[in-house]
Amino acid sequence: MGKCEQCIIRQFNTLRALTKEELIRISGCKTDRIVKKGEVLFREGETINGVFCIKDGICKVSKLSENGRDQIVKLITKGDLLGQRSLVSDESANLTAVALDQMEVCFIPKHEIISDLKKNPNFTMEVLKDMAKDLKEADDFIVDMAQKSVKQRLAETLLYLNDNFDVDDNGYLSLTLSREDYANIVGTATESAIRILSQFKKEGFISTSGKQIKIEDVRGLRQVV
């Protein structure tokens, strides 16, 4: 089991504001866990009772709409903390988190984090800043959904994946999403997402191999956006 005070990952999230003594205490009570691809970390409506620190891997967080479709709200990646909002608001999870590939996570119990929120103002401020960032992203997401076409949103998603995730030796995006996942990110039917991806392929913006996608023309996709 790794020690929190020696972990590089914490530098990418709010845990960087904790003191060495606080990190040593948390290290003694956290649990490490391997999450397999497709496994659910938690479901909407469940009580989380702690936060997940993502040491490796990626998961999607989504909300079930009234028509039964999952709307993917965000991709959570290495270095992120998951579950802070439920922790502070003392409410059940508002979203469902599912692993997109194999993940390594640390789970920190709620009572330990709450103790630090009450005692360490630097940590409290970092959590507030993180939540403010989430609110800004949520505002931007709402505007995008209202003002941009599905084609623009899909182009924007491909550019985001290209900018934020690695590619394999053949240039394909290392994060392989299903066509349904792409549809659930941009808020459309799977058939529409497939049709637009096919259009992007014909226009030379992307190439595909099965589920894998390679960005061939970044400038072209930016012009779509």
PDB file of all heavy atoms in Angstrom, residues 102-128:
ATOM      1  N   GLN A 102      -9.141  -0.269 -16.850  1.00  0.00           N
ATOM      2  CA  GLN A 102      -8.772  -0.691 -15.497  1.00  0.00           C
ATOM      3  C   GLN A 102      -8.227   0.501 -14.712  1.00  0.00           C
ATOM      4  O   GLN A 102      -7.397   1.252 -15.219  1.00  0.00           O
ATOM      5  CB  GLN A 102      -7.739  -1.814 -15.529  1.00  0.00           C
ATOM      6  CG  GLN A 102      -7.348  -2.294 -14.123  1.00  0.00           C
ATOM      7  CD  GLN A 102      -6.625  -3.614 -14.131  1.00  0.00           C
ATOM      8  OE1 GLN A 102      -7.180  -4.638 -14.478  1.00  0.00           O
ATOM      9  NE2 GLN A 102      -5.354  -3.603 -13.745  1.00  0.00           N
ATOM     10  N   MET A 103      -8.719   0.650 -13.487  1.00  0.00           N
ATOM     11  CA  MET A 103      -8.339   1.788 -12.662  1.00  0.00           C
ATOM     12  C   MET A 103      -7.687   1.322 -11.359  1.00  0.00           C
ATOM     13  O   MET A 103      -7.959   0.218 -10.875  1.00  0.00           O
ATOM     14  CB  MET A 103      -9.580   2.632 -12.306  1.00  0.00           C
ATOM     15  CG  MET A 103     -10.357   3.151 -13.477  1.00  0.00           C
ATOM     16  SD  MET A 103     -11.809   4.083 -12.932  1.00  0.00           S
ATOM     17  CE  MET A 103     -11.027   5.543 -12.223  1.00  0.00           C
ATOM     18  N   GLU A 104      -6.851   2.178 -10.822  1.00  0.00           N
ATOM     19  CA  GLU A 104      -6.329   2.000  -9.471  1.00  0.00           C
ATOM     20  C   GLU A 104      -6.773   3.213  -8.662  1.00  0.00           C
ATOM     21  O   GLU A 104      -6.481   4.350  -9.037  1.00  0.00           O
ATOM     22  CB  GLU A 104      -4.803   1.894  -9.477  1.00  0.00           C
ATOM     23  CG  GLU A 104      -4.223   1.606  -8.098  1.00  0.00           C
ATOM     24  CD  GLU A 104      -2.709   1.495  -8.101  1.00  0.00           C
ATOM     25  OE1 GLU A 104      -2.116   1.521  -9.208  1.00  0.00           O
ATOM     26  OE2 GLU A 104      -2.125   1.405  -7.010  1.00  0.00           O
ATOM     27  N   VAL A 105      -7.522   2.980  -7.601  1.00  0.00           N
ATOM     28  CA  VAL A 105      -8.062   4.083  -6.807  1.00  0.00           C
ATOM     29  C   VAL A 105      -7.763   3.870  -5.332  1.00  0.00           C
ATOM     30  O   VAL A 105      -7.569   2.740  -4.874  1.00  0.00           O
ATOM     31  CB  VAL A 105      -9.594   4.231  -7.006  1.00  0.00           C
ATOM     32  CG1 VAL A 105      -9.935   4.408  -8.477  1.00  0.00           C
ATOM     33  CG2 VAL A 105     -10.353   3.035  -6.429  1.00  0.00           C
ATOM     34  N   CYS A 106      -7.701   4.970  -4.608  1.00  0.00           N
ATOM     35  CA  CYS A 106      -7.622   4.931  -3.144  1.00  0.00           C
ATOM     36  C   CYS A 106      -8.932   5.503  -2.608  1.00  0.00           C
ATOM     37  O   CYS A 106      -9.387   6.554  -3.079  1.00  0.00           O
ATOM     38  CB  CYS A 106      -6.449   5.760  -2.631  1.00  0.00           C
ATOM     39  SG  CYS A 106      -4.832   5.066  -3.026  1.00  0.00           S
ATOM     40  N   PHE A 107      -9.522   4.830  -1.641  1.00  0.00           N
ATOM     41  CA  PHE A 107     -10.759   5.318  -1.030  1.00  0.00           C
ATOM     42  C   PHE A 107     -10.441   5.839   0.368  1.00  0.00           C
ATOM     43  O   PHE A 107      -9.874   5.128   1.196  1.00  0.00           O
ATOM     44  CB  PHE A 107     -11.805   4.209  -0.945  1.00  0.00           C
ATOM     45  CG  PHE A 107     -13.113   4.670  -0.358  1.00  0.00           C
ATOM     46  CD1 PHE A 107     -14.003   5.423  -1.111  1.00  0.00           C
ATOM     47  CD2 PHE A 107     -13.442   4.365   0.961  1.00  0.00           C
ATOM     48  CE1 PHE A 107     -15.201   5.863  -0.576  1.00  0.00           C
ATOM     49  CE2 PHE A 107     -14.637   4.804   1.509  1.00  0.00           C
ATOM     50  CZ  PHE A 107     -15.522   5.548   0.739  1.00  0.00           C
ATOM     51  N   ILE A 108     -10.798   7.111   0.605  1.00  0.00           N
ATOM     52  CA  ILE A 108     -10.546   7.748   1.901  1.00  0.00           C
ATOM     53  C   ILE A 108     -11.883   7.940   2.606  1.00  0.00           C
ATOM     54  O   ILE A 108     -12.791   8.584   2.058  1.00  0.00           O
ATOM     55  CB  ILE A 108      -9.852   9.110   1.716  1.00  0.00           C
ATOM     56  CG1 ILE A 108      -8.567   8.946   0.887  1.00  0.00           C
ATOM     57  CG2 ILE A 108      -9.531   9.740   3.068  1.00  0.00           C
ATOM     58  CD1 ILE A 108      -7.952  10.257   0.434  1.00  0.00           C
ATOM     59  N   PRO A 109     -12.048   7.404   3.807  1.00  0.00           N
ATOM     60  CA  PRO A 109     -13.325   7.495   4.529  1.00  0.00           C
ATOM     61  C   PRO A 109     -13.744   8.940   4.797  1.00  0.00           C
ATOM     62  O   PRO A 109     -12.913   9.821   5.009  1.00  0.00           O
ATOM     63  CB  PRO A 109     -13.042   6.760   5.845  1.00  0.00           C
ATOM     64  CG  PRO A 109     -11.880   5.886   5.564  1.00  0.00           C
ATOM     65  CD  PRO A 109     -11.054   6.615   4.547  1.00  0.00           C
ATOM     66  N   LYS A 110     -15.041   9.151   4.798  1.00  0.00           N
ATOM     67  CA  LYS A 110     -15.626  10.474   4.959  1.00  0.00           C
ATOM     68  C   LYS A 110     -15.169  11.169   6.236  1.00  0.00           C
ATOM     69  O   LYS A 110     -14.801  12.347   6.216  1.00  0.00           O
ATOM     70  CB  LYS A 110     -17.154  10.345   4.950  1.00  0.00           C
ATOM     71  CG  LYS A 110     -17.895  11.637   5.220  1.00  0.00           C
ATOM     72  CD  LYS A 110     -19.402  11.416   5.149  1.00  0.00           C
ATOM     73  CE  LYS A 110     -20.161  12.704   5.449  1.00  0.00           C
ATOM     74  NZ  LYS A 110     -21.621  12.534   5.315  1.00  0.00           N
ATOM     75  N   HIS A 111     -15.187  10.461   7.347  1.00  0.00           N
ATOM     76  CA  HIS A 111     -14.889  11.119   8.634  1.00  0.00           C
ATOM     77  C   HIS A 111     -13.473  11.680   8.676  1.00  0.00           C
ATOM     78  O   HIS A 111     -13.208  12.688   9.359  1.00  0.00           O
ATOM     79  CB  HIS A 111     -15.119  10.155   9.808  1.00  0.00           C
ATOM     80  CG  HIS A 111     -14.275   8.918   9.771  1.00  0.00           C
ATOM     81  ND1 HIS A 111     -13.002   8.885  10.273  1.00  0.00           N
ATOM     82  CD2 HIS A 111     -14.532   7.676   9.288  1.00  0.00           C
ATOM     83  CE1 HIS A 111     -12.498   7.665  10.112  1.00  0.00           C
ATOM     84  NE2 HIS A 111     -13.400   6.916   9.515  1.00  0.00           N
ATOM     85  N   GLU A 112     -12.548  11.074   7.920  1.00  0.00           N
ATOM     86  CA  GLU A 112     -11.176  11.578   7.898  1.00  0.00           C
ATOM     87  C   GLU A 112     -11.089  12.893   7.123  1.00  0.00           C
ATOM     88  O   GLU A 112     -10.447  13.844   7.559  1.00  0.00           O
ATOM     89  CB  GLU A 112     -10.245  10.540   7.272  1.00  0.00           C
ATOM     90  CG  GLU A 112     -10.121   9.257   8.063  1.00  0.00           C
ATOM     91  CD  GLU A 112      -9.438   9.457   9.409  1.00  0.00           C
ATOM     92  OE1 GLU A 112      -8.702  10.457   9.566  1.00  0.00           O
ATOM     93  OE2 GLU A 112      -9.637   8.613  10.304  1.00  0.00           O
ATOM     94  N   ILE A 113     -11.741  12.950   5.961  1.00  0.00           N
ATOM     95  CA  ILE A 113     -11.711  14.159   5.135  1.00  0.00           C
ATOM     96  C   ILE A 113     -12.460  15.304   5.815  1.00  0.00           C
ATOM     97  O   ILE A 113     -12.011  16.459   5.802  1.00  0.00           O
ATOM     98  CB  ILE A 113     -12.322  13.886   3.743  1.00  0.00           C
ATOM     99  CG1 ILE A 113     -11.445  12.904   2.965  1.00  0.00           C
ATOM    100  CG2 ILE A 113     -12.480  15.178   2.956  1.00  0.00           C
ATOM    101  CD1 ILE A 113     -10.115  13.460   2.547  1.00  0.00           C
ATOM    102  N   ILE A 114     -13.607  15.006   6.420  1.00  0.00           N
ATOM    103  CA  ILE A 114     -14.393  16.036   7.119  1.00  0.00           C
ATOM    104  C   ILE A 114     -13.568  16.647   8.250  1.00  0.00           C
ATOM    105  O   ILE A 114     -13.591  17.864   8.481  1.00  0.00           O
ATOM    106  CB  ILE A 114     -15.706  15.451   7.673  1.00  0.00           C
ATOM    107  CG1 ILE A 114     -16.662  15.096   6.522  1.00  0.00           C
ATOM    108  CG2 ILE A 114     -16.377  16.433   8.623  1.00  0.00           C
ATOM    109  CD1 ILE A 114     -17.133  16.271   5.707  1.00  0.00           C
ATOM    110  N   SER A 115     -12.828  15.816   8.938  1.00  0.00           N
ATOM    111  CA  SER A 115     -11.967  16.305  10.019  1.00  0.00           C
ATOM    112  C   SER A 115     -10.963  17.319   9.505  1.00  0.00           C
ATOM    113  O   SER A 115     -10.756  18.377  10.117  1.00  0.00           O
ATOM    114  CB  SER A 115     -11.235  15.111  10.659  1.00  0.00           C
ATOM    115  OG  SER A 115     -10.254  15.554  11.575  1.00  0.00           O
ATOM    116  N   ASP A 116     -10.373  17.046   8.339  1.00  0.00           N
ATOM    117  CA  ASP A 116      -9.390  17.965   7.763  1.00  0.00           C
ATOM    118  C   ASP A 116     -10.047  19.235   7.226  1.00  0.00           C
ATOM    119  O   ASP A 116      -9.464  20.319   7.281  1.00  0.00           O
ATOM    120  CB  ASP A 116      -8.606  17.271   6.650  1.00  0.00           C
ATOM    121  CG  ASP A 116      -7.740  16.138   7.183  1.00  0.00           C
ATOM    122  OD1 ASP A 116      -7.124  16.326   8.250  1.00  0.00           O
ATOM    123  OD2 ASP A 116      -7.694  15.072   6.551  1.00  0.00           O
ATOM    124  N   LEU A 117     -11.266  19.118   6.694  1.00  0.00           N
ATOM    125  CA  LEU A 117     -11.994  20.301   6.214  1.00  0.00           C
ATOM    126  C   LEU A 117     -12.252  21.275   7.358  1.00  0.00           C
ATOM    127  O   LEU A 117     -12.217  22.490   7.180  1.00  0.00           O
ATOM    128  CB  LEU A 117     -13.329  19.879   5.596  1.00  0.00           C
ATOM    129  CG  LEU A 117     -13.293  19.400   4.139  1.00  0.00           C
ATOM    130  CD1 LEU A 117     -14.645  18.828   3.748  1.00  0.00           C
ATOM    131  CD2 LEU A 117     -12.905  20.531   3.207  1.00  0.00           C
ATOM    132  N   LYS A 118     -12.507  20.750   8.535  1.00  0.00           N
ATOM    133  CA  LYS A 118     -12.807  21.583   9.692  1.00  0.00           C
ATOM    134  C   LYS A 118     -11.554  22.214  10.305  1.00  0.00           C
ATOM    135  O   LYS A 118     -11.612  23.317  10.845  1.00  0.00           O
ATOM    136  CB  LYS A 118     -13.525  20.752  10.760  1.00  0.00           C
ATOM    137  CG  LYS A 118     -14.942  20.319  10.363  1.00  0.00           C
ATOM    138  CD  LYS A 118     -15.572  19.447  11.438  1.00  0.00           C
ATOM    139  CE  LYS A 118     -17.000  19.043  11.064  1.00  0.00           C
ATOM    140  NZ  LYS A 118     -17.611  18.153  12.071  1.00  0.00           N
ATOM    141  N   LYS A 119     -10.413  21.535  10.170  1.00  0.00           N
ATOM    142  CA  LYS A 119      -9.209  21.976  10.870  1.00  0.00           C
ATOM    143  C   LYS A 119      -8.196  22.704   9.981  1.00  0.00           C
ATOM    144  O   LYS A 119      -7.391  23.495  10.474  1.00  0.00           O
ATOM    145  CB  LYS A 119      -8.517  20.770  11.520  1.00  0.00           C
ATOM    146  CG  LYS A 119      -9.344  20.093  12.606  1.00  0.00           C
ATOM    147  CD  LYS A 119      -8.618  18.870  13.146  1.00  0.00           C
ATOM    148  CE  LYS A 119      -9.440  18.150  14.209  1.00  0.00           C
ATOM    149  NZ  LYS A 119      -8.765  16.922  14.684  1.00  0.00           N
ATOM    150  N   ASN A 120      -8.232  22.428   8.686  1.00  0.00           N
ATOM    151  CA  ASN A 120      -7.198  22.961   7.798  1.00  0.00           C
ATOM    152  C   ASN A 120      -7.824  23.924   6.781  1.00  0.00           C
ATOM    153  O   ASN A 120      -8.393  23.500   5.777  1.00  0.00           O
ATOM    154  CB  ASN A 120      -6.497  21.800   7.073  1.00  0.00           C
ATOM    155  CG  ASN A 120      -5.338  22.260   6.204  1.00  0.00           C
ATOM    156  OD1 ASN A 120      -5.315  23.384   5.726  1.00  0.00           O
ATOM    157  ND2 ASN A 120      -4.369  21.376   5.983  1.00  0.00           N
ATOM    158  N   PRO A 121      -7.726  25.243   7.016  1.00  0.00           N
ATOM    159  CA  PRO A 121      -8.347  26.224   6.113  1.00  0.00           C
ATOM    160  C   PRO A 121      -7.776  26.201   4.694  1.00  0.00           C
ATOM    161  O   PRO A 121      -8.486  26.503   3.736  1.00  0.00           O
ATOM    162  CB  PRO A 121      -8.073  27.571   6.793  1.00  0.00           C
ATOM    163  CG  PRO A 121      -6.931  27.327   7.714  1.00  0.00           C
ATOM    164  CD  PRO A 121      -7.052  25.895   8.155  1.00  0.00           C
ATOM    165  N   ASN A 122      -6.504  25.851   4.556  1.00  0.00           N
ATOM    166  CA  ASN A 122      -5.905  25.763   3.218  1.00  0.00           C
ATOM    167  C   ASN A 122      -6.564  24.653   2.402  1.00  0.00           C
ATOM    168  O   ASN A 122      -6.843  24.815   1.202  1.00  0.00           O
ATOM    169  CB  ASN A 122      -4.397  25.506   3.313  1.00  0.00           C
ATOM    170  CG  ASN A 122      -3.640  26.699   3.872  1.00  0.00           C
ATOM    171  OD1 ASN A 122      -4.043  27.844   3.682  1.00  0.00           O
ATOM    172  ND2 ASN A 122      -2.543  26.432   4.568  1.00  0.00           N
ATOM    173  N   PHE A 123      -6.823  23.532   3.063  1.00  0.00           N
ATOM    174  CA  PHE A 123      -7.489  22.412   2.403  1.00  0.00           C
ATOM    175  C   PHE A 123      -8.931  22.785   2.042  1.00  0.00           C
ATOM    176  O   PHE A 123      -9.397  22.507   0.934  1.00  0.00           O
ATOM    177  CB  PHE A 123      -7.466  21.178   3.311  1.00  0.00           C
ATOM    178  CG  PHE A 123      -8.175  19.973   2.743  1.00  0.00           C
ATOM    179  CD1 PHE A 123      -7.861  19.491   1.480  1.00  0.00           C
ATOM    180  CD2 PHE A 123      -9.153  19.331   3.474  1.00  0.00           C
ATOM    181  CE1 PHE A 123      -8.511  18.382   0.962  1.00  0.00           C
ATOM    182  CE2 PHE A 123      -9.813  18.220   2.960  1.00  0.00           C
ATOM    183  CZ  PHE A 123      -9.494  17.743   1.699  1.00  0.00           C
ATOM    184  N   THR A 124      -9.614  23.451   2.969  1.00  0.00           N
ATOM    185  CA  THR A 124     -10.992  23.892   2.718  1.00  0.00           C
ATOM    186  C   THR A 124     -11.057  24.810   1.508  1.00  0.00           C
ATOM    187  O   THR A 124     -11.942  24.678   0.655  1.00  0.00           O
ATOM    188  CB  THR A 124     -11.550  24.632   3.955  1.00  0.00           C
ATOM    189  OG1 THR A 124     -11.438  23.784   5.100  1.00  0.00           O
ATOM    190  CG2 THR A 124     -13.016  24.990   3.752  1.00  0.00           C
ATOM    191  N   MET A 125     -10.094  25.734   1.403  1.00  0.00           N
ATOM    192  CA  MET A 125     -10.060  26.659   0.272  1.00  0.00           C
ATOM    193  C   MET A 125      -9.812  25.926  -1.039  1.00  0.00           C
ATOM    194  O   MET A 125     -10.431  26.242  -2.074  1.00  0.00           O
ATOM    195  CB  MET A 125      -8.974  27.723   0.505  1.00  0.00           C
ATOM    196  CG  MET A 125      -8.927  28.789  -0.582  1.00  0.00           C
ATOM    197  SD  MET A 125     -10.493  29.681  -0.790  1.00  0.00           S
ATOM    198  CE  MET A 125     -10.553  30.565   0.785  1.00  0.00           C
ATOM    199  N   GLU A 126      -8.929  24.925  -1.024  1.00  0.00           N
ATOM    200  CA  GLU A 126      -8.656  24.146  -2.238  1.00  0.00           C
ATOM    201  C   GLU A 126      -9.904  23.390  -2.698  1.00  0.00           C
ATOM    202  O   GLU A 126     -10.189  23.309  -3.895  1.00  0.00           O
ATOM    203  CB  GLU A 126      -7.509  23.159  -1.993  1.00  0.00           C
ATOM    204  CG  GLU A 126      -6.136  23.797  -1.916  1.00  0.00           C
ATOM    205  CD  GLU A 126      -5.722  24.442  -3.229  1.00  0.00           C
ATOM    206  OE1 GLU A 126      -6.055  23.915  -4.296  1.00  0.00           O
ATOM    207  OE2 GLU A 126      -5.059  25.494  -3.178  1.00  0.00           O
ATOM    208  N   VAL A 127     -10.669  22.846  -1.736  1.00  0.00           N
ATOM    209  CA  VAL A 127     -11.902  22.137  -2.073  1.00  0.00           C
ATOM    210  C   VAL A 127     -12.917  23.100  -2.676  1.00  0.00           C
ATOM    211  O   VAL A 127     -13.587  22.798  -3.665  1.00  0.00           O
ATOM    212  CB  VAL A 127     -12.487  21.427  -0.831  1.00  0.00           C
ATOM    213  CG1 VAL A 127     -13.885  20.874  -1.130  1.00  0.00           C
ATOM    214  CG2 VAL A 127     -11.572  20.295  -0.376  1.00  0.00           C
ATOM    215  N   LEU A 128     -13.019  24.298  -2.103  1.00  0.00           N
ATOM    216  CA  LEU A 128     -13.943  25.313  -2.629  1.00  0.00           C
ATOM    217  C   LEU A 128     -13.557  25.717  -4.049  1.00  0.00           C
ATOM    218  O   LEU A 128     -14.415  25.863  -4.922  1.00  0.00           O
ATOM    219  CB  LEU A 128     -13.953  26.542  -1.714  1.00  0.00           C
ATOM    220  CG  LEU A 128     -14.683  26.394  -0.373  1.00  0.00           C
ATOM    221  CD1 LEU A 128     -14.444  27.617   0.502  1.00  0.00           C
ATOM    222  CD2 LEU A 128     -16.176  26.180  -0.596  1.00  0.00           C
TER     223      LEU A 128
END
